[in-house]
Amino acid sequence: MRVRFWGVRGSIPVPGPSTNRYGGNTSCVEVRPHDGPPLIIDAGTGIRRLGKQLMQERFGEGRGVAHLLISHTHWDHIQGMPFFSPLYREGNRLYVYARQRDDTHLRAVFAQQTEDPYFPVPLDAMRADVDFRELVDGESFSIGAARVACTRLNHPWIAIAYRVDVDGASVVYASDTAPFTDILLEHEFIERPPEPGAPLSPEHRAKLEAMRAGLVDLCRGADLVIYDTQFTPEEYRAKPHWGHSTPDDAIAVALDAKAKTLALYHHAPARSDDEQDAILATYRRRLAGSDLELIAAYEGLEIGLGEHDT
Amino acid sequence: MKVRFWGVRGSIPAPGPDTNRYGGNTSCVSVAADGARPIVLDMGTGLMHLGVSLMATEFGRGQGRAAVLLSHAHWDHIQGFPFFPPVFVDGNAFSIYGAGRSPSMLEGILEGQMNPHFSPIYTLKNLGAHIELHAVEPGVPFDIDGVRVIAQSNPHGSTTALAFRLECGGRSLVYAPDVGYPAGGPSEAVLALYRGADLLIHDCTYTPEDRAERLDRGFSSYEDAAGAAIRAGARHLVMFHYDQDYADDDVDALRDRCRAWLDAHGGRDIALTAAAEGLELDV
């Protein structure tokens, strides 16, 4: 399979000279098995250019099928979807997967994005067929030859991580998540962060430990783990309730899971290319001598994994 | 009045090396008039960068007041709002003026953006700043600290967008984003709004060829913008809201063709500027 990064930024797109190298588009990763339809993880603004490329293939003839795995529906993970060209071509088919919500059908959440007065073309007027598949935590399923599994993450309103196994290789996408140590993030709005070191309730501690164990299982032996590392440790201490991790948290999970390569991902909007280089260099020094390879995801990065592609 | 451009792009932010010169952020313009609180035109992603600069002023201490004029609520005109640092500071106050039959309709639109499915903010009530909403009635002037503001409604595809005229100290500036005129061009009411403007910031999304292919999207070509400027006797036309696929070189070409079109159609005396992020103009 080939994994290609189309958007690596968190929160909001950030155009400008200081993001030219890593890229300013929000979250979108393409996972292309050797045979079968493309899998797309998240639909941030990066999906716009992916859509243009897909239109050069079967999608331009209205014969394309793609599977879109959504981690969660915060804007930076879905805001590119109305600009995904294949949706405007009759005959194309898009399957959208996301976590089941208690109160709302998934289609209704996505329909709201393109309702009046926010966007001129409502979902129902888009010409491609769009099917929604609601997932429950821990579910696994097949897409062609690919096997997909998911587990929940620690993020406001709840996000899920995905693992794709195909062509004898595996990739995990774990964004967005806070570490599993200080605060449980679910449906409640948390106005102020807890005091540093404040004890967790036994119930919350158990839930967080189970969540982390589920994620480590999902990452077990993965060839590539793509992980939300929006924060530096200092930034995390100020905003533990925002639902993002540091490279330290990502490295700990990747090492526990004996993953092969870890990609820093979901970079903070204010992070310049030079700052991101420095973060990568710092953590690479710390990992010297370890078997874990560390990279920082950038727009246009393409990685071949497994049979056919390595 | 001092005008500064924070986002000049239409539809969706367009990051990348080929948009570095004009900028890839979506619509946001700020206006500073003597003695008036800052006036912000639209809240695209450029708003975040305006917000960062405001935090170095009284807005960082929770003593800031600003007004926002909202042309319409398509995403590219509101998507910067949840990332505008001053709205998280207790004590700051924002008056948002937008289209809508009532302030509660406008509130519903902004609430929809903050809804927990889409945003970790959950609801407007979690913003620290005080937000006051005003429904704008086209043709009825109102005052912001001595700046006279009047709006008219323009057709924009299947919907409408407001254009605003700001007058202060005998000078005038018009902000007209997102407009697709019918075959006859702007309405009389809209031409009256533009009339004699010292600065006309006008939608200039497309070349005429691209506009012809995408008529239903409700945007202007440079011919539409230049034609409106000539008919209204504007002094200075500012091109704005470029298509997300136009690279810097494409915008250069758009400006050159617009200049030539103005010169050939009686607009030789109209100054022309292609808006770019960071550009400041005095009115």
PDB file of all heavy atoms in Angstrom, chain B residues 196-226:
ATOM      1  N   GLY B 196     -19.375  56.775  -6.348  1.00  0.00           N
ATOM      2  CA  GLY B 196     -18.279  57.679  -5.960  1.00  0.00           C
ATOM      3  C   GLY B 196     -17.388  57.172  -4.841  1.00  0.00           C
ATOM      4  O   GLY B 196     -16.666  57.971  -4.219  1.00  0.00           O
ATOM      5  N   ALA B 197     -17.413  55.877  -4.574  1.00  0.00           N
ATOM      6  CA  ALA B 197     -16.621  55.359  -3.447  1.00  0.00           C
ATOM      7  C   ALA B 197     -15.139  55.655  -3.654  1.00  0.00           C
ATOM      8  O   ALA B 197     -14.608  55.487  -4.758  1.00  0.00           O
ATOM      9  CB  ALA B 197     -16.844  53.858  -3.293  1.00  0.00           C
ATOM     10  N   ASP B 198     -14.477  56.105  -2.595  1.00  0.00           N
ATOM     11  CA  ASP B 198     -13.031  56.312  -2.675  1.00  0.00           C
ATOM     12  C   ASP B 198     -12.318  54.979  -2.838  1.00  0.00           C
ATOM     13  O   ASP B 198     -11.273  54.896  -3.473  1.00  0.00           O
ATOM     14  CB  ASP B 198     -12.543  57.039  -1.418  1.00  0.00           C
ATOM     15  CG  ASP B 198     -13.050  58.462  -1.375  1.00  0.00           C
ATOM     16  OD1 ASP B 198     -12.709  59.233  -2.290  1.00  0.00           O
ATOM     17  OD2 ASP B 198     -13.833  58.794  -0.465  1.00  0.00           O
ATOM     18  N   LEU B 199     -12.893  53.956  -2.231  1.00  0.00           N
ATOM     19  CA  LEU B 199     -12.316  52.612  -2.347  1.00  0.00           C
ATOM     20  C   LEU B 199     -13.457  51.623  -2.531  1.00  0.00           C
ATOM     21  O   LEU B 199     -14.377  51.586  -1.724  1.00  0.00           O
ATOM     22  CB  LEU B 199     -11.549  52.291  -1.056  1.00  0.00           C
ATOM     23  CG  LEU B 199     -10.483  51.201  -1.120  1.00  0.00           C
ATOM     24  CD1 LEU B 199      -9.316  51.662  -1.990  1.00  0.00           C
ATOM     25  CD2 LEU B 199      -9.956  50.894   0.287  1.00  0.00           C
ATOM     26  N   LEU B 200     -13.418  50.842  -3.603  1.00  0.00           N
ATOM     27  CA  LEU B 200     -14.428  49.803  -3.824  1.00  0.00           C
ATOM     28  C   LEU B 200     -13.723  48.447  -3.803  1.00  0.00           C
ATOM     29  O   LEU B 200     -12.982  48.100  -4.728  1.00  0.00           O
ATOM     30  CB  LEU B 200     -15.131  50.012  -5.173  1.00  0.00           C
ATOM     31  CG  LEU B 200     -16.075  48.887  -5.640  1.00  0.00           C
ATOM     32  CD1 LEU B 200     -17.223  48.679  -4.659  1.00  0.00           C
ATOM     33  CD2 LEU B 200     -16.634  49.194  -7.045  1.00  0.00           C
ATOM     34  N   ILE B 201     -13.924  47.725  -2.695  1.00  0.00           N
ATOM     35  CA  ILE B 201     -13.364  46.374  -2.577  1.00  0.00           C
ATOM     36  C   ILE B 201     -14.416  45.438  -3.145  1.00  0.00           C
ATOM     37  O   ILE B 201     -15.525  45.353  -2.606  1.00  0.00           O
ATOM     38  CB  ILE B 201     -13.080  46.030  -1.097  1.00  0.00           C
ATOM     39  CG1 ILE B 201     -12.111  47.051  -0.489  1.00  0.00           C
ATOM     40  CG2 ILE B 201     -12.537  44.607  -0.968  1.00  0.00           C
ATOM     41  CD1 ILE B 201     -12.053  47.003   1.041  1.00  0.00           C
ATOM     42  N   HIS B 202     -14.105  44.787  -4.247  1.00  0.00           N
ATOM     43  CA  HIS B 202     -15.137  44.069  -4.986  1.00  0.00           C
ATOM     44  C   HIS B 202     -14.719  42.625  -5.264  1.00  0.00           C
ATOM     45  O   HIS B 202     -13.562  42.360  -5.599  1.00  0.00           O
ATOM     46  CB  HIS B 202     -15.405  44.790  -6.310  1.00  0.00           C
ATOM     47  CG  HIS B 202     -16.690  44.393  -6.974  1.00  0.00           C
ATOM     48  ND1 HIS B 202     -16.861  43.174  -7.590  1.00  0.00           N
ATOM     49  CD2 HIS B 202     -17.875  45.053  -7.094  1.00  0.00           C
ATOM     50  CE1 HIS B 202     -18.105  43.101  -8.072  1.00  0.00           C
ATOM     51  NE2 HIS B 202     -18.735  44.211  -7.779  1.00  0.00           N
ATOM     52  N   ASP B 203     -15.666  41.726  -5.139  1.00  0.00           N
ATOM     53  CA  ASP B 203     -15.485  40.338  -5.561  1.00  0.00           C
ATOM     54  C   ASP B 203     -14.838  40.300  -6.942  1.00  0.00           C
ATOM     55  O   ASP B 203     -15.289  40.955  -7.881  1.00  0.00           O
ATOM     56  CB  ASP B 203     -16.868  39.661  -5.600  1.00  0.00           C
ATOM     57  CG  ASP B 203     -16.793  38.214  -6.087  1.00  0.00           C
ATOM     58  OD1 ASP B 203     -15.682  37.664  -6.212  1.00  0.00           O
ATOM     59  OD2 ASP B 203     -17.869  37.636  -6.323  1.00  0.00           O
ATOM     60  N   CYS B 204     -13.768  39.521  -7.047  1.00  0.00           N
ATOM     61  CA  CYS B 204     -13.098  39.364  -8.334  1.00  0.00           C
ATOM     62  C   CYS B 204     -12.594  37.920  -8.387  1.00  0.00           C
ATOM     63  O   CYS B 204     -11.409  37.663  -8.559  1.00  0.00           O
ATOM     64  CB  CYS B 204     -11.956  40.367  -8.423  1.00  0.00           C
ATOM     65  SG  CYS B 204     -11.507  40.722 -10.103  1.00  0.00           S
ATOM     66  N   THR B 205     -13.528  37.002  -8.220  1.00  0.00           N
ATOM     67  CA  THR B 205     -13.165  35.594  -8.097  1.00  0.00           C
ATOM     68  C   THR B 205     -12.543  35.042  -9.378  1.00  0.00           C
ATOM     69  O   THR B 205     -11.601  34.255  -9.318  1.00  0.00           O
ATOM     70  CB  THR B 205     -14.421  34.765  -7.728  1.00  0.00           C
ATOM     71  OG1 THR B 205     -14.975  35.278  -6.515  1.00  0.00           O
ATOM     72  CG2 THR B 205     -14.088  33.299  -7.539  1.00  0.00           C
ATOM     73  N   TYR B 206     -13.077  35.468 -10.530  1.00  0.00           N
ATOM     74  CA  TYR B 206     -12.804  34.736 -11.770  1.00  0.00           C
ATOM     75  C   TYR B 206     -12.303  35.602 -12.926  1.00  0.00           C
ATOM     76  O   TYR B 206     -12.562  36.795 -12.983  1.00  0.00           O
ATOM     77  CB  TYR B 206     -14.102  34.080 -12.259  1.00  0.00           C
ATOM     78  CG  TYR B 206     -14.603  32.933 -11.423  1.00  0.00           C
ATOM     79  CD1 TYR B 206     -15.959  32.853 -11.101  1.00  0.00           C
ATOM     80  CD2 TYR B 206     -13.759  31.921 -10.989  1.00  0.00           C
ATOM     81  CE1 TYR B 206     -16.459  31.791 -10.366  1.00  0.00           C
ATOM     82  CE2 TYR B 206     -14.248  30.860 -10.247  1.00  0.00           C
ATOM     83  CZ  TYR B 206     -15.597  30.795  -9.937  1.00  0.00           C
ATOM     84  OH  TYR B 206     -16.086  29.751  -9.205  1.00  0.00           O
ATOM     85  N   THR B 207     -11.730  34.921 -13.889  1.00  0.00           N
ATOM     86  CA  THR B 207     -11.616  35.463 -15.242  1.00  0.00           C
ATOM     87  C   THR B 207     -13.019  35.375 -15.857  1.00  0.00           C
ATOM     88  O   THR B 207     -13.845  34.583 -15.390  1.00  0.00           O
ATOM     89  CB  THR B 207     -10.670  34.614 -16.108  1.00  0.00           C
ATOM     90  OG1 THR B 207     -11.235  33.290 -16.218  1.00  0.00           O
ATOM     91  CG2 THR B 207      -9.278  34.513 -15.500  1.00  0.00           C
ATOM     92  N   PRO B 208     -13.286  36.150 -16.912  1.00  0.00           N
ATOM     93  CA  PRO B 208     -14.613  36.043 -17.563  1.00  0.00           C
ATOM     94  C   PRO B 208     -14.880  34.621 -18.071  1.00  0.00           C
ATOM     95  O   PRO B 208     -16.021  34.151 -18.029  1.00  0.00           O
ATOM     96  CB  PRO B 208     -14.524  37.034 -18.723  1.00  0.00           C
ATOM     97  CG  PRO B 208     -13.470  38.007 -18.315  1.00  0.00           C
ATOM     98  CD  PRO B 208     -12.476  37.232 -17.490  1.00  0.00           C
ATOM     99  N   GLU B 209     -13.839  33.923 -18.519  1.00  0.00           N
ATOM    100  CA  GLU B 209     -14.020  32.563 -19.048  1.00  0.00           C
ATOM    101  C   GLU B 209     -14.449  31.609 -17.919  1.00  0.00           C
ATOM    102  O   GLU B 209     -15.388  30.821 -18.093  1.00  0.00           O
ATOM    103  CB  GLU B 209     -12.716  32.039 -19.676  1.00  0.00           C
ATOM    104  CG  GLU B 209     -12.178  32.896 -20.830  1.00  0.00           C
ATOM    105  CD  GLU B 209     -11.423  34.147 -20.368  1.00  0.00           C
ATOM    106  OE1 GLU B 209     -10.793  34.116 -19.297  1.00  0.00           O
ATOM    107  OE2 GLU B 209     -11.486  35.180 -21.079  1.00  0.00           O
ATOM    108  N   ASP B 210     -13.787  31.679 -16.786  1.00  0.00           N
ATOM    109  CA  ASP B 210     -14.156  30.806 -15.662  1.00  0.00           C
ATOM    110  C   ASP B 210     -15.537  31.177 -15.124  1.00  0.00           C
ATOM    111  O   ASP B 210     -16.316  30.318 -14.730  1.00  0.00           O
ATOM    112  CB  ASP B 210     -13.112  30.887 -14.539  1.00  0.00           C
ATOM    113  CG  ASP B 210     -11.837  30.131 -14.891  1.00  0.00           C
ATOM    114  OD1 ASP B 210     -11.847  29.384 -15.905  1.00  0.00           O
ATOM    115  OD2 ASP B 210     -10.835  30.284 -14.170  1.00  0.00           O
ATOM    116  N   ARG B 211     -15.825  32.457 -15.105  1.00  0.00           N
ATOM    117  CA  ARG B 211     -17.145  32.894 -14.625  1.00  0.00           C
ATOM    118  C   ARG B 211     -18.247  32.328 -15.530  1.00  0.00           C
ATOM    119  O   ARG B 211     -19.272  31.851 -15.046  1.00  0.00           O
ATOM    120  CB  ARG B 211     -17.202  34.421 -14.598  1.00  0.00           C
ATOM    121  CG  ARG B 211     -18.581  35.009 -14.797  1.00  0.00           C
ATOM    122  CD  ARG B 211     -19.160  35.625 -13.534  1.00  0.00           C
ATOM    123  NE  ARG B 211     -20.279  36.497 -13.840  1.00  0.00           N
ATOM    124  CZ  ARG B 211     -21.519  36.310 -13.373  1.00  0.00           C
ATOM    125  NH1 ARG B 211     -21.809  35.302 -12.609  1.00  0.00           N
ATOM    126  NH2 ARG B 211     -22.473  37.165 -13.671  1.00  0.00           N
ATOM    127  N   ALA B 212     -18.021  32.341 -16.826  1.00  0.00           N
ATOM    128  CA  ALA B 212     -19.043  31.855 -17.768  1.00  0.00           C
ATOM    129  C   ALA B 212     -19.331  30.374 -17.527  1.00  0.00           C
ATOM    130  O   ALA B 212     -20.468  29.924 -17.690  1.00  0.00           O
ATOM    131  CB  ALA B 212     -18.581  32.090 -19.201  1.00  0.00           C
ATOM    132  N   GLU B 213     -18.310  29.629 -17.129  1.00  0.00           N
ATOM    133  CA  GLU B 213     -18.501  28.196 -16.866  1.00  0.00           C
ATOM    134  C   GLU B 213     -19.167  27.924 -15.528  1.00  0.00           C
ATOM    135  O   GLU B 213     -19.632  26.829 -15.278  1.00  0.00           O
ATOM    136  CB  GLU B 213     -17.136  27.494 -16.841  1.00  0.00           C
ATOM    137  CG  GLU B 213     -16.668  27.040 -18.190  1.00  0.00           C
ATOM    138  CD  GLU B 213     -15.328  26.313 -18.079  1.00  0.00           C
ATOM    139  OE1 GLU B 213     -15.033  25.755 -16.998  1.00  0.00           O
ATOM    140  OE2 GLU B 213     -14.587  26.322 -19.070  1.00  0.00           O
ATOM    141  N   ARG B 214     -19.139  28.915 -14.636  1.00  0.00           N
ATOM    142  CA  ARG B 214     -19.604  28.686 -13.260  1.00  0.00           C
ATOM    143  C   ARG B 214     -20.575  29.779 -12.831  1.00  0.00           C
ATOM    144  O   ARG B 214     -20.512  30.293 -11.711  1.00  0.00           O
ATOM    145  CB  ARG B 214     -18.403  28.666 -12.304  1.00  0.00           C
ATOM    146  CG  ARG B 214     -17.365  27.630 -12.701  1.00  0.00           C
ATOM    147  CD  ARG B 214     -16.048  27.857 -11.988  1.00  0.00           C
ATOM    148  NE  ARG B 214     -14.982  27.090 -12.628  1.00  0.00           N
ATOM    149  CZ  ARG B 214     -13.700  27.166 -12.296  1.00  0.00           C
ATOM    150  NH1 ARG B 214     -13.321  27.978 -11.319  1.00  0.00           N
ATOM    151  NH2 ARG B 214     -12.794  26.449 -12.920  1.00  0.00           N
ATOM    152  N   LEU B 215     -21.472  30.131 -13.755  1.00  0.00           N
ATOM    153  CA  LEU B 215     -22.415  31.226 -13.500  1.00  0.00           C
ATOM    154  C   LEU B 215     -23.220  31.020 -12.227  1.00  0.00           C
ATOM    155  O   LEU B 215     -23.464  31.959 -11.472  1.00  0.00           O
ATOM    156  CB  LEU B 215     -23.385  31.340 -14.680  1.00  0.00           C
ATOM    157  CG  LEU B 215     -22.944  32.216 -15.850  1.00  0.00           C
ATOM    158  CD1 LEU B 215     -24.031  32.249 -16.899  1.00  0.00           C
ATOM    159  CD2 LEU B 215     -22.603  33.623 -15.367  1.00  0.00           C
ATOM    160  N   ASP B 216     -23.626  29.742 -11.984  1.00  0.00           N
ATOM    161  CA  ASP B 216     -24.535  29.488 -10.867  1.00  0.00           C
ATOM    162  C   ASP B 216     -23.874  29.679  -9.505  1.00  0.00           C
ATOM    163  O   ASP B 216     -24.544  29.716  -8.485  1.00  0.00           O
ATOM    164  CB  ASP B 216     -25.125  28.075 -10.976  1.00  0.00           C
ATOM    165  CG  ASP B 216     -24.044  27.009 -11.006  1.00  0.00           C
ATOM    166  OD1 ASP B 216     -22.899  27.327 -11.422  1.00  0.00           O
ATOM    167  OD2 ASP B 216     -24.322  25.870 -10.607  1.00  0.00           O
ATOM    168  N   ARG B 217     -22.550  29.802  -9.489  1.00  0.00           N
ATOM    169  CA  ARG B 217     -21.910  29.974  -8.187  1.00  0.00           C
ATOM    170  C   ARG B 217     -22.073  31.385  -7.639  1.00  0.00           C
ATOM    171  O   ARG B 217     -21.824  31.639  -6.470  1.00  0.00           O
ATOM    172  CB  ARG B 217     -20.426  29.626  -8.277  1.00  0.00           C
ATOM    173  CG  ARG B 217     -20.220  28.165  -8.603  1.00  0.00           C
ATOM    174  CD  ARG B 217     -18.793  27.746  -8.335  1.00  0.00           C
ATOM    175  NE  ARG B 217     -18.539  26.434  -8.906  1.00  0.00           N
ATOM    176  CZ  ARG B 217     -17.351  25.865  -8.933  1.00  0.00           C
ATOM    177  NH1 ARG B 217     -16.298  26.486  -8.435  1.00  0.00           N
ATOM    178  NH2 ARG B 217     -17.194  24.671  -9.467  1.00  0.00           N
ATOM    179  N   GLY B 218     -22.423  32.321  -8.518  1.00  0.00           N
ATOM    180  CA  GLY B 218     -22.729  33.655  -8.003  1.00  0.00           C
ATOM    181  C   GLY B 218     -21.530  34.489  -7.612  1.00  0.00           C
ATOM    182  O   GLY B 218     -21.538  35.166  -6.589  1.00  0.00           O
ATOM    183  N   PHE B 219     -20.474  34.419  -8.437  1.00  0.00           N
ATOM    184  CA  PHE B 219     -19.303  35.257  -8.195  1.00  0.00           C
ATOM    185  C   PHE B 219     -19.055  36.177  -9.395  1.00  0.00           C
ATOM    186  O   PHE B 219     -19.605  35.970 -10.474  1.00  0.00           O
ATOM    187  CB  PHE B 219     -18.055  34.399  -7.959  1.00  0.00           C
ATOM    188  CG  PHE B 219     -18.108  33.587  -6.696  1.00  0.00           C
ATOM    189  CD1 PHE B 219     -18.112  32.199  -6.749  1.00  0.00           C
ATOM    190  CD2 PHE B 219     -18.156  34.207  -5.458  1.00  0.00           C
ATOM    191  CE1 PHE B 219     -18.152  31.440  -5.584  1.00  0.00           C
ATOM    192  CE2 PHE B 219     -18.203  33.461  -4.290  1.00  0.00           C
ATOM    193  CZ  PHE B 219     -18.205  32.069  -4.349  1.00  0.00           C
ATOM    194  N   SER B 220     -18.157  37.146  -9.207  1.00  0.00           N
ATOM    195  CA  SER B 220     -17.851  38.111 -10.256  1.00  0.00           C
ATOM    196  C   SER B 220     -16.563  37.755 -10.978  1.00  0.00           C
ATOM    197  O   SER B 220     -15.655  37.152 -10.402  1.00  0.00           O
ATOM    198  CB  SER B 220     -17.667  39.508  -9.648  1.00  0.00           C
ATOM    199  OG  SER B 220     -18.875  39.991  -9.139  1.00  0.00           O
ATOM    200  N   SER B 221     -16.503  38.205 -12.214  1.00  0.00           N
ATOM    201  CA  SER B 221     -15.229  38.228 -12.939  1.00  0.00           C
ATOM    202  C   SER B 221     -14.667  39.639 -12.790  1.00  0.00           C
ATOM    203  O   SER B 221     -15.354  40.543 -12.305  1.00  0.00           O
ATOM    204  CB  SER B 221     -15.457  37.927 -14.411  1.00  0.00           C
ATOM    205  OG  SER B 221     -16.130  39.027 -15.008  1.00  0.00           O
ATOM    206  N   TYR B 222     -13.424  39.849 -13.266  1.00  0.00           N
ATOM    207  CA  TYR B 222     -12.881  41.206 -13.194  1.00  0.00           C
ATOM    208  C   TYR B 222     -13.681  42.160 -14.062  1.00  0.00           C
ATOM    209  O   TYR B 222     -13.749  43.348 -13.781  1.00  0.00           O
ATOM    210  CB  TYR B 222     -11.386  41.228 -13.544  1.00  0.00           C
ATOM    211  CG  TYR B 222     -11.065  40.879 -14.972  1.00  0.00           C
ATOM    212  CD1 TYR B 222     -11.262  41.797 -15.997  1.00  0.00           C
ATOM    213  CD2 TYR B 222     -10.553  39.628 -15.298  1.00  0.00           C
ATOM    214  CE1 TYR B 222     -10.974  41.476 -17.314  1.00  0.00           C
ATOM    215  CE2 TYR B 222     -10.258  39.295 -16.594  1.00  0.00           C
ATOM    216  CZ  TYR B 222     -10.477  40.223 -17.614  1.00  0.00           C
ATOM    217  OH  TYR B 222     -10.205  39.899 -18.913  1.00  0.00           O
ATOM    218  N   GLU B 223     -14.325  41.637 -15.119  1.00  0.00           N
ATOM    219  CA  GLU B 223     -15.166  42.526 -15.939  1.00  0.00           C
ATOM    220  C   GLU B 223     -16.370  43.020 -15.152  1.00  0.00           C
ATOM    221  O   GLU B 223     -16.761  44.180 -15.262  1.00  0.00           O
ATOM    222  CB  GLU B 223     -15.645  41.793 -17.197  1.00  0.00           C
ATOM    223  CG  GLU B 223     -14.559  41.572 -18.223  1.00  0.00           C
ATOM    224  CD  GLU B 223     -15.088  40.939 -19.520  1.00  0.00           C
ATOM    225  OE1 GLU B 223     -16.323  40.740 -19.628  1.00  0.00           O
ATOM    226  OE2 GLU B 223     -14.266  40.651 -20.392  1.00  0.00           O
ATOM    227  N   ASP B 224     -16.978  42.113 -14.381  1.00  0.00           N
ATOM    228  CA  ASP B 224     -18.110  42.531 -13.547  1.00  0.00           C
ATOM    229  C   ASP B 224     -17.672  43.600 -12.547  1.00  0.00           C
ATOM    230  O   ASP B 224     -18.370  44.590 -12.318  1.00  0.00           O
ATOM    231  CB  ASP B 224     -18.678  41.337 -12.768  1.00  0.00           C
ATOM    232  CG  ASP B 224     -19.152  40.221 -13.683  1.00  0.00           C
ATOM    233  OD1 ASP B 224     -19.790  40.528 -14.712  1.00  0.00           O
ATOM    234  OD2 ASP B 224     -18.874  39.043 -13.382  1.00  0.00           O
ATOM    235  N   ALA B 225     -16.505  43.372 -11.923  1.00  0.00           N
ATOM    236  CA  ALA B 225     -16.003  44.296 -10.907  1.00  0.00           C
ATOM    237  C   ALA B 225     -15.670  45.644 -11.546  1.00  0.00           C
ATOM    238  O   ALA B 225     -16.062  46.706 -11.054  1.00  0.00           O
ATOM    239  CB  ALA B 225     -14.779  43.701 -10.216  1.00  0.00           C
ATOM    240  N   ALA B 226     -14.947  45.592 -12.667  1.00  0.00           N
ATOM    241  CA  ALA B 226     -14.529  46.828 -13.323  1.00  0.00           C
ATOM    242  C   ALA B 226     -15.741  47.573 -13.882  1.00  0.00           C
ATOM    243  O   ALA B 226     -15.820  48.810 -13.803  1.00  0.00           O
ATOM    244  CB  ALA B 226     -13.533  46.509 -14.444  1.00  0.00           C
TER     245      ALA B 226
END
